[in-house]
Structures are given as C-alpha cells and as structure tokens.
Amino acid sequence: MNHLGEAISLIVAVSWMVTALFADKASHRLGSMTANVLRLSMAIVFLGLLLWVTVGHPYPVYASGEAWLWLALSAVVGYVFGDWCLFNCYLSIGARFGQLFMTLAPPLAAIAGWAILGESLSWKSWLAMAVTLCGIAISILSRGEGHKVRLALPLKGVLLGLGAGLGQGVGLVLSKMGLQYYADAIPADAPRLMNVMLPFASTMIRALIGAAGFLALMALQRDLPRLRSAVKDKTGMRYALIMTLFGPVLGVSLSLMAVQYTSAGIASTLMALTPVLILIPYAFIYKQRITPREVLGVMVSMLGVALFFLL
C-alpha cells in the first residue's frame, strides 16, 4: 500500500490527541509520575496479552541485546525524560499548549536521524525548523507594557515543553534504531505474525524500561505510597486506562510501525498534527477561549512541520 507509513502516522496523531486530553486530567488528579507508572504498567499487561495471543509468547521474544539497548535508550529519552517533561508541562500550561511544543519533535527527529541514522538533512530542513519556532513564538509571546515582548506562559511550562519535544523527537529515532536490530534478530522460522507484531513487542520493551525508570524516580522521592492511593481512585484509574489504550498500546506502537514504512522525519511531521486536532475538543471540554493569535501560531508551526514533508 502506498503511503502506508503516512496513513499510520495520521492515525497516531488522532490517538495522541485523545491521550493528551486524558493525560491532562490524569496528571492533575494523580500526579505526573504516578500517572506515567500506571499507564506504562497497564500497557505492559495489554501488550503481553496481545503478544501471547498473536505469537505465543507474552514477552518480546527474539529481541537481541542491541535491540534491548537501543529501545531502552529510547525509553529513557522518550518516556522517562520526554514524558516526565510533557506531563508536568500539562500541569503548568495545559495540554493545548503542551502539544504545541510537540511540533518541535519533527525537526529534532530530523536532526537526530541525520546524526544517528545518517538520514539526509538539507538547508530546507533548517528553514522548516525556523518556521516551526516562529509559530511557537507567536503563540507563547505577547506584548507587555511599553510594547516589550514577554512570555504569555510560565517559563517553567515553556522549558518543560521544549524538553518534551526534544524527548519525543530523539526518542523516536532511537526507537527506529532498536527496531532495525530487532528485525534483524528475528529468525526465519519465527511465527508469521512476528514481523507485524514487532512494533508492539518493541513498545513492551520501552514500557518495561520506562516504568522502571519512573518507579526509581518515585522511590528516590519517597513518593511510592502515592501509587496505593491512586489505584483506589476509580475516576483517576479510568483516565489512566484511556490514555494507556490510546497512548503506549495504540499510539506508540503505531508510531514505531510508521517509522518502518517512512522516514523518522516524515512520520513525526504527520504525528505532529495533534496540536491542530486538539484545539476544538480542548476548548469545548475546558470552556476556554482560543484566541486568533494562538490559532495563527499553531498554523504557522504546522506549516513549518509540513515543510519537512513537502520540500
């Protein structure tokens, strides 16, 4: 099928829109690290069951040491660092602006793909990055007294958003590297569905490492008792379940599938449509007014993202 990777990437964008809306709610109700531990733990269970039914093993069978290494690195960068930044960004400035910073993932993925995978990166890509940054600036900057330019958002939220975009972009490229090693390690006599389930098995490795990383952070902060109270919160657990299904299980697995069929930069470009998709439902749910300046900023950011695909 032509443009299969692109079609999958669009599905991922919708999936991440749903994830962002419920991750915002879960972060406020349960705390950012607690929400991450719960969603990754549930993802491990769902992915294990899926692998058991399809390939006969409830774990990432055939994965080589190199695959584990690169996928573990992608989990540390994308989950532990990137998602920690993203979920705390939601607490600071909300999912609407948090997802805007995720438009930085495509240019950062393109740079990481150039540095790690040897993918091409021309001056046009740098132009696309500049346009994306201009769009973000339009949304987060405003004029104060004396026409001085100032941040319209808390600096903490902006920095967390930048970290989230960095983690997402670099983590995706590291995942692609791990997928390549995993695919090479699959023997010829493996179950026929193993190649199809490869992204889901890879996601399980990332979820295992990510959950372990967040648990370690919670242990260092002596915050583990918060998990016990969280599992008794039915509403919070419902939020966590929804963002698990649309995030690590469906969204992340399909994002890994997408980079099997297209470049990391193109996949990230289309996945980055989430900031556009989230505007209307976010405004409806939270009854917040979306200003023309914010819409313009998102559209300019998306123009920059699109340049990676069109040029």
Side-chain angles (χ1 to χ4, degrees):
M1 177 182 176
N2 292 331
H3 304 298
L4 178 59
E6 288 83 352
I8 295 172
S9 298
L10 290 173
I11 296 173
V12 172
V14 176
S15 179
W16 282 349
M17 176 196 72
V18 177
T19 303
L21 291 171
F22 284 92
D24 191 333
K25 288 180 173 292
S27 296
H28 282 88
R29 191 173 184 94
L30 304 174
S32 62
M33 283 198 288
T34 303
N36 271 296
V37 170
L38 290 173
R39 75 180 182 115
L40 292 176
S41 299
M42 287 190 282
I44 292 168
V45 174
F46 283 123
L47 291 167
L49 291 172
L50 185 60
L51 292 173
W52 196 2
V53 170
T54 54
V55 299
H57 301 278
Y59 55 89
V61 67
Y62 308 124
S64 63
E66 291 90 348
W68 272 93
L69 174 62
W70 285 99
L71 290 169
L73 287 174
S74 77
V76 172
V77 173
Y79 279 155
V80 181
F81 173 73
D83 282 356
W84 181 87
C85 288
L86 182 61
F87 278 55
N88 280 284
C89 180
Y90 290 161
L91 291 175
S92 179
I93 58 178
R96 186 177 88 231
F97 286 110
Q99 282 299 307
L100 174 63
F101 283 98
M102 299 307 283
T103 58
L104 286 173
L108 293 173
I111 293 173
W114 166 73
I116 300 173
L117 304 179
E119 295 179 347
S120 61
L121 184 64
S122 66
W123 66 268
K124 297 176 183 178
S125 297
W126 294 102
L127 172 62
M129 177 185 287
V131 174
T132 301
L133 289 171
C134 284
I136 293 175
I138 290 171
S139 291
I140 69 173
L141 297 178
S142 64
R143 286 187 176 182
E145 294 182 3
H147 300 287
K148 292 182 179 180
V149 176
R150 64 177 181 83
L151 277 175
L153 299 172
L155 178 61
K156 177 182 177 181
V158 172
L159 294 176
L160 288 168
L162 292 172
L166 177 65
Q168 175 73 20
V170 178
L172 183 65
V173 175
L174 294 172
S175 296
K176 186 169 185 176
M177 197 74 176
L179 274 169
Q180 291 175 349
Y181 279 110
Y182 201 158
D184 292 340
I186 297 175
D189 60 349
R192 186 175 59 180
L193 287 175
M194 187 60 215
N195 286 325
V196 176
M197 299 307 298
L198 178 60
F200 297 91
S202 299
T203 299
M204 187 173 184
I205 293 176
R206 298 184 76 220
L208 285 165
I209 301 300
F214 279 116
L215 281 171
L217 289 176
M218 291 187 74
L220 288 173
Q221 297 180 10
R222 298 181 178 179
D223 204 22
L224 288 176
R226 191 167 186 175
L227 281 172
R228 287 196 295 268
S229 60
V231 296
K232 298 176 183 177
D233 186 334
K234 293 183 179 180
T235 301
M237 289 299 293
R238 186 163 59 249
Y239 293 157
L241 175 61
I242 293 173
M243 70 174 182
T244 297
L245 293 175
F246 284 92
V249 176
L250 180 62
V252 176
S253 296
L254 289 180
S255 73
L256 296 184
M257 186 178 291
V259 297
Q260 287 185 295
Y261 297 101
T262 188
S263 72
I266 291 175
S268 287
T269 295
L270 296 174
M271 293 175 203
L273 282 169
T274 301
V276 176
L277 300 175
I278 202 173
L279 281 175
I280 294 177
Y282 192 92
F284 178 78
I285 292 171
Y286 291 96
K287 296 179 175 57
Q288 292 186 1
R289 179 174 172 266
I290 306 297
T291 67
R293 178 171 57 84
E294 292 170 9
V295 174
L296 175 62
V298 170
M299 298 310 295
V300 172
S301 294
M302 287 311 306
L303 174 61
V305 171
L307 289 176
F308 281 96
F309 181 63
L310 297 175
L311 292 180

